């Protein structure tokens, strides 16, 4: 067999083998879940913590001395009454304690008698003054007719001056007696202590029945916890954005899951000289269990719009610090993934706020693979599952 014939035979055998060899099987598309790139509302905020305190507090004390003869009574279990104590809530004006008023009652009676006597003396003095004026006018007429000596006329004038002075002194005695009566009546009123707020809660009781009290000795601490106040400090970068009446969110670990509406109550006009921050107070008008002493957190919410993708959709890019995502595209009737470089502005929980606008980057409406990006490659066929 010639060389040419041998080569022709080998080619025919190779062609026959190639014709009967099994064809390569194209790999099946990878199943992926996708998310559209859409703009979302992002809620974020600054948080400041502070200790809740009562809206108002008053330290009650008697302005006079005396012995305690009465403490306010409240209902107790078993249809009984007991003395008021810590935790009781009382209406404004409730008399919470009273001193023995007998001594001050007697003082008032004596002061009233002194005023009556002083007024009687004043009336007599006025009558004497009027008579002295009449006598002086009569004597002046007699003197003009030379029927009265000069010395007698001088005596009439002197007598009028004396009566006038006596009347003025009597008026002073009446004024002094009136002041004494007013003070005695005030002292009698000071024997009773009344709660000052519309909804007063007893925070401390420091007296008992039959105890001797001195003026200004503390007896009760009364607080108004119909609202509570959270105090904290903010930097100068934030204080300019706050306004009285602005609503904020308030939470506390002591009441898990509860959220309260707070209102900006006070904003300091100048910074603390030591910390260079501004003292702020937020008032919660419906505390519902939020009590003084609890640590509360005030949240200043800020809503922005951003394009968010889950962190599981982000893959490492070709360079050391680059990132990318896989965008699903239709090519020739098939769904394939293409690598798209990605930059981000912020990470919010388990999502990333991506940066839009690059010519070769993502655009609104693109479909991005949500998970499993580590097993994909550029141009790979995929099957989108819902």
């Amino acid at each position: 067999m010639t060389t040419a014939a041998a080569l022709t035979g080998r080619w025919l055998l190779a062609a026959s083998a190639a014709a009967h060899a099994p064809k390569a099987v194209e790999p099946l598309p990878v199943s992926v879940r996708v998310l559209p790139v859409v703009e979302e509302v992002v809620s974020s905020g600054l948080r400041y913590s502070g200790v809740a305190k009562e809206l108002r507090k008053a330290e009650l004390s008697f302005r006079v001395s005396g012995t305690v003869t009465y403490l306010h009574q409240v209902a107790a279990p078993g249809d009984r009454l007991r003395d008021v104590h810590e935790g009781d809530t009382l209406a404004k004006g409730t008399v919470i304690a009273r001193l023995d008023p007998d001594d001050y009652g007697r003082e008032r009676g004596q002061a009233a008698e002194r005023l009556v006597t002083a007024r009687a003396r004043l009336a007599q003095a006025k009558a004497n003054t009027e008579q002295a004026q009449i006598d002086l006018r009569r004597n002046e007429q007699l003197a003009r007719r030379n029927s009265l000596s000069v010395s007698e006329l001088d005596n009439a004038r002197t007598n009028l001056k004396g009566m006038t002075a006596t009347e003025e002194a009597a008026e002073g005695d009446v004024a002094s007696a009136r002041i004494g009566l007013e003070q005695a009546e005030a002292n009698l009123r000071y024997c009773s202590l009344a709660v000052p707020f519309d909804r007063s809660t007893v925070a401390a009781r420091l007296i008992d029945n039959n105890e001797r009290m001195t003026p200004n000795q503390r007896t009760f601490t009364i607080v108004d916890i119909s609202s509570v106040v959270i105090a904290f400090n903010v930097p100068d970068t934030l204080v300019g954005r706050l306004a009285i009446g602005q609503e904020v969110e308030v939470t506390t670990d002591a009441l898990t899951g509860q959220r309260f509406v707070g209102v900006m109550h006070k904003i300091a006009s100048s910074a603390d000289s030591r910390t260079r921050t501004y003292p702020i107070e937020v008032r919660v008008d419906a505390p519902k269990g939020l009590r003084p002493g609890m640590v509360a957190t005030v949240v200043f919410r800020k809503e922005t719009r951003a394009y968010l993708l889950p962190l599981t959709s982000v893959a490492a890019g070709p360079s050391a610090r680059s990132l990318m995502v896989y965008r699903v595209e239709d090519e020739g009737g098939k769904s394939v993934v293409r690598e798209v470089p990605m930059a981000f502005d912020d990470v919010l929980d388990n999502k990333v706020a991506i940066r839009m606008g690059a010519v070769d980057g993502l655009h609104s409406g693109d479909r991005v693979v949500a998970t499993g990006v580590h097993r994909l490659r550029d141009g790979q066929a995929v099957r989108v599952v819902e």
Side-chain angles (χ1 to χ4, degrees), residues 128-146:
N128 293 339
T129 300
E130 291 176 0
Q131 184 60 49
Q133 290 172 341
I134 293 171
D135 292 344
L136 177 60
R137 287 193 294 270
R138 183 184 303 115
N139 289 340
E140 286 174 342
Q141 291 174 358
L142 292 173
R144 283 193 291 270
R145 295 196 296 267
N146 296 321

Side-chain angles (χ1 to χ4, degrees), residues 80-98:
R80 295 182 297 107
L81 293 176
R82 60 166 175 79
D83 293 339
V84 65
H85 60 52
E86 291 82 352
D88 290 335
T89 299
L90 307 173
K92 183 177 182 179
T94 300
V95 175
I96 195 171
R98 187 180 293 119

Side-chain angles (χ1 to χ4, degrees), residues 180-203:
L181 177 59
E182 290 174 353
Q183 183 61 57
E185 290 176 339
N187 288 342
L188 194 56
R189 291 195 302 272
Y190 295 154
C191 288
S192 298
L193 282 182
V195 295
F197 309 132
D198 290 334
R199 185 176 172 82
S200 299
T201 300
V202 179

Side-chain angles (χ1 to χ4, degrees), residues 132-334:
Q133 290 172 341
I134 293 171
D135 292 344
L136 177 60
R137 287 193 294 270
R138 183 184 303 115
N139 289 340
E140 286 174 342
Q141 291 174 358
L142 292 173
R144 283 193 291 270
R145 295 196 296 267
N146 296 321
S147 300
L148 190 70
S149 65
V150 174
S151 61
E152 290 176 323
L153 180 60
D154 289 342
N155 289 338
R157 288 172 176 167
T158 301
N159 184 56
L160 176 59
K161 289 181 179 178
M163 293 300 104
T164 302
T166 301
E167 181 182 346
E168 290 175 352
E171 288 177 346
D173 290 342
V174 170
S176 178
R178 184 183 296 112
I179 292 173
L181 177 59
E182 290 174 353
Q183 183 61 57
E185 290 176 339
N187 288 342
L188 194 56
R189 291 195 302 272
Y190 295 154
C191 288
S192 298
L193 282 182
V195 295
F197 309 132
D198 290 334
R199 185 176 172 82
S200 299
T201 300
V202 179
R205 192 192 95 181
L206 305 171
I207 65 171
D208 285 303
N209 268 313
N210 303 314
E211 184 175 353
R212 183 70 182 177
M213 305 301 298
T214 58
N216 302 319
Q217 179 180 346
R218 191 156 65 98
T219 59
F220 289 92
T221 300
I222 304 297
V223 294
D224 178 3
I225 56 174
S226 58
S227 299
V228 297
V229 173
I230 298 97
F232 55 97
N233 289 21
V234 299
D236 53 4
T237 55
L238 176 62
V239 70
R241 293 183 287 169
L242 304 181
I244 297 295
Q246 176 182 344
E247 290 189 352
V248 293
E249 180 183 301
V250 177
T251 62
T252 176
D253 292 339
L255 302 171
T256 305
Q258 292 194 39
R259 298 181 182 274
F260 305 90
V261 176
V263 177
M264 295 301 303
H265 179 60
K266 290 183 181 179
I267 301 175
S269 58
S270 59
D272 182 276
S273 59
R274 184 174 57 86
T275 63
R276 307 309 306 167
T277 56
Y278 292 79
I280 302 295
E281 287 189 3
V282 169
R283 188 183 73 244
V284 179
D285 291 328
K288 296 179 182 177
L290 180 58
R291 294 175 174 271
M294 291 183 178
V295 177
T297 300
V298 177
V299 184
F300 294 95
R301 290 291 180 188
K302 180 182 179 183
E303 289 191 350
T304 57
R305 302 187 70 85
Y307 291 88
L308 301 180
L309 287 177
L311 289 172
T312 54
S313 67
V314 180
S319 61
R321 295 187 178 181
S322 63
L323 298 173
M324 67 179 184
V325 295
Y326 285 95
R327 179 171 57 201
V328 177
E329 300 180 356
D330 290 331
E331 296 181 3
K334 297 187 302 181

Side-chain angles (χ1 to χ4, degrees), residues 322-359:
S322 63
L323 298 173
M324 67 179 184
V325 295
Y326 285 95
R327 179 171 57 201
V328 177
E329 300 180 356
D330 290 331
E331 296 181 3
K334 297 187 302 181
S335 294
V336 299
V337 291
R338 293 298 179 184
E339 297 175 354
V340 180
M342 186 274 294
F344 68 95
D345 293 315
D346 198 3
V347 176
L348 305 172
D349 295 329
N350 62 345
K351 293 186 177 182
V352 58
I354 59 177
R355 192 175 302 164
M356 305 289 285
V359 176

